[in-house]
């Protein structure tokens, strides 16, 4: 296996020098291709012309323009050509977030664009090379790519737009004041930080002298599955247990709550993973504690109809037994799951208000905060305050107390199988430089919906179902703008209310739930489609007045995990029409909620749907609004028509 597993896929551990080495090795561009690449990226947040700037600076919001007038002006006039380091930042971000086979696709497209033939013409409708075009021509070309009938062009657009916007907003040259964003939580060093401390963990050091290790049980993955299994096995059976984690453990003092650090240190591929057709962004934990470290504290039980389906359709009667109910209660008690002392932030108040006005059901969401107020809007970057009862605070601590051992920054290459029985694992550390073996009587694969099937496939297992039936809870968003409300969607308690009005769209309990998103700048900038430099800057200038509502769908029709030439996971997912209907129903209801709550403008994650301005005394019955809802349905969300994401990879069936 190559170094890519640890240097790119464990993004936080690669140095700038390492990134440049990988650039030279896997992403070959000549000077023309580089100029085209930077010219394309430069379009997305480019300098506004005089007319555009006048429109931009006259935005009517509650933002204190006079306080940050210079920053707002600087944001409007920013030009990447004047930022000598931005090309390096783009490359570093690209290499951190993009597997080799996807890099090859980007390189191939850029190569085609260096020729003044039909391919280049089809991209620009000009005989000139892309960097020879003026800014308006480049902008027009890029805008057309977003709705191209050619999947390769649309895919290229999505990849580059996502890369550029996220790379900029993760570190926007001290321009956070222009949009009113404070950066890290202002309370980062306050009294809350001293309230609860993380347990202390020790990790086995793997050196050149390390011999094979011996344990009764080895568990791959330290998240919600692996941690619970480890704690219970060590307590109940007295087994010697080892947890191997490919990510790193960050103590609470190391959690900076900077968006850039959070994604690059705690998420798979630095938070930049895309499905194979680039239609879906994929957020998944890659750290000690897995997804529980970055989760938004939502802690809901499996719905009764889901459990009934598992029992009736698959013969899994255990999920209807009292024993399973007792297990749920035990986990809820250990994690402190309840609805006590939840303080609704401004975003969730608006969701609740809008639901009540249209007669839609809305309830408080249980959280794993042990009955304490948990107003931690930065919790997606790790809970610095120790209030969220992630497995680092609970089950991994239990495991440690019962004698479980841990290895971090360690990639398991394969499960070792002899005579049809798992007998251990082969793993590497130090970017693959040191390989070692763990012998064990039992091997538990608990490394998530992405990496569990990939590990089994790398290990040579032949079951045809491995990697199939991957469910992603496809997520789409709409937004409402409230110019006279200081919403700050990223502050306060996250995702503390839910509307289930569209939970059963098809009559068989497949549908969507509606939540509020906690969108820090990079996520906000990529959750909705880029349409022009002016529209993007206008949108972000209203950042503190925007509320995003998420439609999280229970998908009936699955995707699949395969592996690339390095044995790493590739996510294939195409939204079916059945599940697209659920998404659309959720988006339409979300917009009704926002309009009822008083939004003056609304928009969606769909590429070909423009922002809509609310008018009239009875906007919910306004004919233009009703036509807008119909357009949303007509445009749809399939085949790259919308910015979709997955924040829950629901595992695969192995058959």
């Amino acid at each position: 296996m190559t170094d890519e597993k640890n240097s790119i896929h464990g993004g936080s551990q690669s140095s700038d020098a390492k990134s440049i080495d990988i650039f030279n090795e896997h992403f070959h561009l000549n000077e023309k291709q580089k100029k085209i690449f930077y010219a394309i990226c430069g379009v997305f947040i480019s300098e506004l012309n005089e007319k555009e700037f006048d429109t931009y600076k006259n935005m009517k919001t509650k933002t204190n323009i006079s306080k940050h007038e210079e920053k707002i002006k600087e944001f409007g006039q920013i030009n990447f050509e004047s930022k000598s380091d931005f090309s390096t930042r783009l490359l570093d971000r690209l290499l951190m977030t993009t597997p080799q086979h996807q890099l090859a696709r980007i390189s191939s497209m850029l190569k085609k664009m260096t020729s003044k033939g039909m391919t280049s013409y089809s991209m620009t409708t000009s005989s000139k090379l892309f960097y020879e075009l003026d800014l308006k021509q480049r902008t027009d070309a890029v805008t057309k790519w977003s709705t191209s009938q050619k999947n390769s062009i649309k895919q290229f657009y999505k990849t580059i737009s996502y890369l550029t916007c996220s790379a900029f907003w993760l570190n926007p040259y001290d321009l956070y004041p222009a949009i009113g964003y404070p950066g890290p939580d202002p309370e980062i060093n306050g009294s809350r930080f001293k309230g609860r401390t993380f347990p202390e963990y020790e990790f086995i050091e793997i050196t050149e002298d390390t011999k094979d290790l011996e344990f009764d049980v080895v568990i791959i993955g330290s998240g919600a599955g692996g941690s619970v299994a480890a704690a219970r096995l060590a307590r109940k059976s007295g087994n010697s247990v080892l947890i191997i984690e490919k990510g790193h453990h960050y103590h609470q003092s190391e959690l900076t709550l900077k968006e850039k650090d959070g994604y690059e240190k705690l998420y798979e591929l630095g938070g930049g993973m895309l499905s194979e057709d680039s239609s879906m962004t994929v957020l998944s934990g890659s750290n000690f504690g897995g997804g529980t470290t970055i989760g938004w504290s939502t802690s809901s039980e499996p719905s009764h109809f889901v459990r009934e389906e598992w029992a009736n359709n698959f013969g899994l009667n255990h999920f209807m037994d009292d024993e399973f109910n007792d297990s749920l209660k035990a986990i809820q008690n250990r994690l402190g799951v309840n609805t006590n002392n939840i303080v609704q932030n401004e975003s969730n108040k608006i969701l609740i208000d809008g639901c009540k006005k249209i007669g839609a059901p809305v309830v408080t969401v249980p959280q794993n905060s042990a009955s304490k107020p948990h107003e931690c809007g930065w919790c997606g970057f790790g809970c610095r305050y120790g209030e969220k009862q992630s497995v680092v605070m609970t089950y991994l601590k239990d495991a440690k107390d019962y004698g479980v051992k841990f290895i971090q920054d360690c990639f398991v290459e394969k499960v070792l199988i002899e005579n049809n029985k798992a007998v251990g694992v082969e793993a590497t550390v130090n970017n693959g430089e040191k390989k070692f073996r763990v012998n064990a009587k039992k091997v538990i694969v608990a490394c998530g919906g992405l990496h569990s099937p990939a590990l089994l496939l790398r290990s040579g297992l032949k079951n045809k179902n491995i990697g199939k039936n991957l469910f992603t809870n496809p997520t789409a968003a709409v937004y409402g703008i409230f110019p006279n409300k200081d919403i700050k969607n990223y502050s306060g308690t996250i995702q503390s209310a839910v509307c289930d009005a569209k939970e059963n769209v098809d009559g068989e309990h497949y549908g969507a739930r509606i939540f509020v998103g906690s969108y820090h700048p990079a996520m906000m900038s990529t959750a909705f489609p880029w349409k022009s430099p002016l529209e993007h800057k206008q949108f972000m200038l209203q950042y503190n007045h925007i509320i995003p509502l998420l439609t999280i769908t229970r998908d009936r029709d699955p995707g699949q995990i395969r592996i690339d030439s390095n044995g790493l996971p590739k996510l294939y997912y195409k939204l079916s029409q059945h599940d697209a209907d659920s998404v659309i129903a959720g988006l339409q209801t979300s917009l009704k909620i926002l309009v009822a709550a008083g939004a003056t403008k609304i928009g969606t994650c769909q590429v070909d749907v423009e922002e809509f301005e609310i008018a009239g005394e009875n906007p919910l019955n306004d004919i233009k609004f009703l036509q807008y809802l119909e357009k949303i349905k007509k445009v749809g969300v399939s085949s790259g028509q919308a910015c979709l994401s997955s924040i829950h990879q629901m595992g695969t069936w192995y058959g």
Side-chain angles (χ1 to χ4, degrees):
M1 301 293 179
T2 69
D3 289 357
E4 187 186 11
K5 291 183 181 61
N6 291 307
S7 59
I8 295 182
H9 285 70
S12 60
Q13 299 171 56
S14 61
S15 65
D16 288 348
K18 188 70 173 177
S19 293
I20 297 302
D21 288 342
I22 297 171
F23 173 77
N24 292 333
E25 183 181 352
H26 298 303
F27 193 56
H28 303 281
L29 299 181
N30 60 32
E31 287 306 310
K32 274 188 179 180
Q33 291 163 357
K34 288 179 183 178
K35 289 175 71 174
I36 291 171
F37 176 68
Y38 295 136
I40 294 170
C41 295
V43 168
F44 289 98
I45 307 178
S46 53
E47 183 175 4
L48 303 179
N49 62 37
E50 185 175 345
K51 182 178 179 181
E52 290 172 333
F53 188 76
D54 286 342
T55 302
Y56 158 82
K57 71 180 182 180
N58 290 325
M59 293 293 298
K60 295 180 180 179
T61 70
K62 195 180 177 184
T63 301
N64 189 344
I65 298 292
S66 61
K67 184 177 180 181
H68 300 297
E69 186 173 356
E70 287 304 311
K71 288 294 182 183
I72 291 172
K73 181 179 180 181
E74 184 182 348
F75 177 38
Q77 297 177 339
I78 192 168
N79 185 336
F80 287 158
E81 292 180 3
S82 65
K83 302 296 183 182
S84 59
D85 68 324
F86 193 67
S87 60
T88 301
R89 283 174 48 186
L90 279 171
L91 286 180
D92 285 346
R93 182 73 185 159
L94 178 67
L95 298 170
M96 177 181 292
T97 61
T98 314
Q100 289 179 21
H101 66 281
Q102 292 183 351
L103 286 174
R105 286 206 298 257
I106 296 171
S107 180
S108 176
M109 184 66 78
L110 293 171
K111 183 178 180 180
K112 292 175 181 177
M113 291 181 70
T114 61
S115 168
K116 294 187 178 182
M118 286 303 297
T119 301
S120 180
Y121 185 84
S122 68
M123 297 284 283
T124 63
T125 63
S126 171
S127 60
K128 296 180 180 179
L129 294 177
F130 191 86
Y131 58 80
E132 296 173 336
L133 304 174
D134 62 33
L135 180 58
K136 184 179 185 306
Q137 291 172 319
R138 282 182 275 152
T139 301
D140 289 344
V142 169
T143 302
K144 290 176 182 176
W145 296 351
S146 68
T147 56
S148 173
Q149 295 302 307
K150 293 186 177 181
N151 288 334
S152 60
I153 294 176
K154 194 184 299 183
Q155 181 176 321
F156 180 72
Y157 161 82
K158 177 63 183 290
T159 302
I160 302 302
S161 64
Y162 184 74
L163 165 72
T164 308
C165 291
S166 60
F168 175 77
W169 284 108
L170 288 175
N171 184 11
Y173 298 101
D174 299 319
L175 288 175
Y176 281 145
I179 64 171
Y181 180 66
D185 188 350
E187 296 185 57
I188 188 168
N189 294 312
S191 59
R192 289 177 65 194
F193 176 53
K194 302 173 184 177
R196 295 178 180 174
T197 57
F198 281 16
E200 295 293 333
Y201 292 95
E202 294 182 357
F203 296 88
I204 295 174
E205 289 286 336
I206 304 298
T207 69
E208 287 301 319
D209 298 326
T210 298
K211 306 297 182 183
D212 291 350
L213 303 178
E214 303 285 339
F215 284 86
D216 293 321
V217 182
V218 60
I219 299 174
I220 303 100
S222 64
S227 61
V228 176
R232 188 165 181 82
L233 281 170
R235 177 171 66 91
K236 286 283 189 181
S237 64
N239 285 310
S240 61
V241 180
L242 172 68
I243 289 180
I244 299 178
E245 169 56 52
K246 76 179 179 70
H248 188 78
H249 173 52
Y250 293 92
H251 194 269
Q252 62 198 115
S253 61
E254 298 175 294
L255 297 173
T256 66
L257 303 189
K258 294 178 180 177
E259 191 176 18
K260 182 176 186 294
D261 286 350
Y263 285 127
E264 293 183 357
K265 292 179 177 179
L266 302 176
Y267 287 75
E268 183 75 15
L269 287 175
M273 183 176 182
L274 295 173
S275 61
E276 281 305 294
D277 65 355
S278 299
S279 66
M280 176 179 281
T281 60
V282 183
L283 294 178
S284 178
S286 180
N287 59 77
F288 189 64
T292 75
T293 298
I294 58 173
W296 288 358
S297 295
T298 300
S299 303
S300 300
E301 290 186 8
S303 299
H304 67 89
F305 50 80
V306 174
R307 293 168 60 181
E308 288 173 359
E309 181 178 305
W310 291 345
N312 296 334
N313 293 1
F314 307 109
L316 303 174
N317 296 318
H318 169 69
F319 292 108
M320 299 301 293
D321 293 346
D322 289 340
E323 183 181 1
F324 183 69
N325 291 328
D326 293 341
S327 296
L328 288 176
K329 290 176 182 177
I331 289 173
Q332 289 167 340
N333 289 337
R334 184 67 187 94
L335 300 181
V337 175
N338 55 57
T339 57
N340 298 337
N341 297 313
I342 289 178
V343 180
Q344 303 288 359
N345 67 3
E346 190 63 30
S347 297
N348 283 285
K349 288 178 182 177
I350 289 172
L351 170 61
I352 293 168
D353 178 53
C355 285
K356 289 180 178 179
K357 286 180 177 177
I358 67 170
V362 61
V363 296
T364 299
V365 178
Q367 296 205 326
N368 61 333
S369 53
S371 300
K372 302 289 185 182
H374 182 49
E375 299 178 76
C376 179
W378 282 257
C379 225
F381 311 132
C383 187
R384 182 177 168 92
Y385 311 115
E387 295 169 353
K388 177 172 65 184
Q389 298 301 286
S390 68
V391 296
V392 170
M393 300 295 291
T394 55
Y395 283 105
L396 287 174
K397 178 184 180 300
D398 296 344
K400 174 180 75 82
D401 291 344
Y402 293 126
V404 173
K405 303 300 181 184
F406 309 98
I407 301 177
Q408 63 179 341
D409 304 322
C410 178
F411 190 88
V412 175
E413 300 276 1
K414 60 183 178 180
V415 177
L416 299 171
I417 300 171
E418 297 177 2
N419 298 319
N420 293 320
K421 182 180 179 181
V423 296
V425 300
E426 187 175 273
T428 61
V429 295
N430 300 329
N431 288 342
E433 294 177 6
K434 169 62 179 177
K435 184 176 290 187
F436 68 102
R437 172 174 174 148
V438 179
N439 298 313
K441 299 173 185 176
K442 291 183 174 65
V443 178
I444 296 176
V445 176
C447 43
L450 302 177
H451 280 276
S452 290
L455 173 56
L456 296 177
L457 291 168
R458 285 198 304 272
S459 303
L461 275 71
K462 301 301 182 183
N463 188 312
K464 66 180 181 180
N465 293 305
I466 294 174
K468 293 183 179 179
N469 301 304
L470 174 76
F471 297 92
T472 65
N473 277 176
T475 300
V478 300
Y479 65 85
I481 298 176
F482 296 78
N484 296 315
K485 290 187 177 182
D486 208 18
I487 294 171
K488 299 179 179 177
N489 84 92
Y490 50 84
S491 66
T493 309
I494 302 176
Q495 207 173 67
S496 51
V498 60
C499 171
D500 286 334
K502 295 300 175 180
E503 189 177 40
N504 186 10
V505 171
D506 68 349
E508 296 188 7
H509 297 290
Y510 286 91
R513 310 183 82 195
I514 298 168
F515 296 88
V516 173
S518 178
Y519 279 8
H520 293 259
M523 184 178 284
M524 182 73 86
S525 74
T526 55
F528 302 101
W530 179 94
K531 294 181 178 177
S532 74
L534 174 60
E535 287 187 51
H536 179 81
K537 291 185 178 185
Q538 286 179 312
F539 180 73
M540 293 304 293
L541 198 63
Q542 301 172 94
Y543 178 61
N544 277 344
H545 308 284
I546 296 172
I547 170 174
L549 289 187
L550 309 184
T551 290
I552 301 181
T553 303
R554 183 187 178 217
D555 44 337
R556 185 194 68 179
D557 302 317
Q560 183 176 3
I561 293 294
R562 302 175 192 166
I563 54 175
D564 64 15
S565 59
N566 292 292
L568 296 168
K570 300 163 65 176
L571 192 154
Y572 290 84
Y573 191 89
K574 183 177 180 179
L575 190 71
S576 70
Q577 187 57 54
H578 173 277
D579 294 329
D581 290 344
S582 294
V583 175
I584 292 297
L587 295 181
Q588 290 176 322
T589 300
S590 296
L591 290 171
K592 292 176 184 178
I593 291 168
L594 291 170
V595 170
T600 61
K601 290 182 181 180
I602 52 176
T604 82
C605 62
Q606 294 162 289
V607 173
D608 209 21
V609 176
E610 298 301 320
E611 192 173 78
F612 181 80
E613 189 163 352
I614 308 302
E617 295 182 359
N618 188 10
L620 287 172
N621 293 316
D622 177 62
I623 186 64
K624 291 183 178 179
F625 175 62
L626 297 176
Q627 290 171 344
Y628 185 71
L629 294 180
E630 282 302 309
K631 182 177 182 179
I632 288 166
K633 182 177 181 179
K634 182 178 180 180
V635 170
V637 290
S638 301
S639 303
Q641 295 298 322
C643 297
L644 300 179
S645 64
S646 169
I647 53 178
H648 308 133
Q649 297 81 52
M650 303 301 289
T652 56
W653 306 340
Y654 301 126

